[in-house]
Amino acid sequence: ADEPKKSALKAVVDKLCEAKTIVVHDGKAMLHALARADVDVSALVQKTFFDTMVAAYMLAPGDRASGFVEVVSDMLGSHVVSDTAMETVQFLLPLREKLASKLAKEGMTKLIDDVEMPLMPVLFAMEHEGIAVDKEHLEVLSKKFRVTIDDLTKRIVHAAGVDFNVNSPSQLADVLFTTLNLSTKGIKKTKT
């Protein structure tokens, strides 16, 4: 990045580091963008985040529409006219309040605060730095898992009493809820 741009981004990072909680939509993408611009984010990843994209996903994991515009529309009933920084900022805090309230009603506050939000900077660091893997060991494990999966698949088909593709969600649903007549009580239905 050129020096004036890098200097401006560094000033933004310094300002963000003053906040108790950083409210952002897709914080991982933001951290990657800053890192690509050669801005030091080491202090930033130590901060507490509330990522509205992650929170929205937690409330509707089957819904693939997790863009800022869609989440604002779904959660606040508002229309984002132009996805500029100023307009984004005006929606972020109300969006956080709405999402936090819904998460609390679902009993998910502890999960989001203690697991999901702290995990975001960790995932960024893993993606940014990469990880070392033992390729040969993974190949050995892959072969072992294939044998186990094949065995489990045969046992599932035998237990069901009908031959079907265990990896097909629609065939599996048909076997579980039609052939075996299992109850669907307590199972959430998603759009997909």
Side-chain angles (χ1 to χ4, degrees):
D2 56 66
E3 284 310 308
K5 180 181 175 186
K6 185 176 174 182
S7 178
L9 289 173
K10 186 183 178 323
V12 169
V13 169
D14 291 344
K15 197 72 179 164
L16 285 172
C17 285
E18 293 173 12
K20 184 180 175 195
T21 300
I22 298 169
V23 182
V24 65
H25 192 84
D26 198 356
K28 197 154 58 84
M30 177 194 75
L31 291 169
H32 278 299
L34 290 166
R36 277 193 304 275
D38 200 28
V39 175
D40 181 10
V41 293
S42 57
L44 197 56
V45 295
Q46 304 300 318
K47 300 295 295 179
T48 299
F49 283 85
F50 187 95
D51 191 324
T52 55
M53 186 178 85
V54 173
Y57 176 80
M58 293 297 294
L59 288 166
D63 193 349
R64 289 190 172 88
S66 59
F68 184 70
V69 172
E70 293 89 352
V71 174
V72 168
S73 176
D74 286 350
M75 290 292 137
L76 300 177
S78 300
H79 180 62
V80 179
V81 179
S82 57
D83 204 352
T84 61
M86 284 303 292
E87 191 168 30
T88 300
V89 167
Q90 104 182 31
F91 287 117
L92 274 174
L93 291 180
L95 190 54
R96 177 199 179 183
E97 294 307 311
K98 184 78 169 188
L99 288 164
S101 171
K102 284 184 168 273
L103 287 163
K105 283 181 189 161
E106 294 287 330
M108 298 171 80
T109 301
K110 190 166 175 52
L111 174 65
I112 203 90
D113 290 347
D114 296 351
V115 178
E116 294 297 332
M117 295 305 172
L119 189 58
M120 186 272 293
V122 173
L123 293 174
F124 156 74
M126 288 173 66
E127 291 173 9
H128 183 66
E129 298 296 329
I131 56 171
V133 295
D134 182 339
K135 190 176 173 189
E136 287 81 21
H137 183 61
L138 288 178
E139 286 171 1
V140 169
L141 287 176
S142 179
K143 287 174 186 167
K144 283 183 180 177
F145 293 156
R146 181 78 263 151
V147 170
T148 303
I149 289 169
D150 289 346
D151 179 55
L152 289 171
T153 301
K154 287 175 187 163
R155 290 168 61 189
I156 289 168
V157 168
H158 182 268
V162 290
D163 193 16
F164 72 103
N165 180 358
V166 176
N167 294 315
S168 165
S170 61
Q171 288 184 35
L172 181 61
D174 186 52
V175 168
L176 292 175
F177 308 119
T178 305
T179 307
L180 299 177
N181 202 25
L182 298 178
S183 171
T184 58
K185 187 179 178 195
I187 296 175
K188 284 186 179 180
K189 196 165 189 168
T190 66
K191 289 178 185 175
T192 56

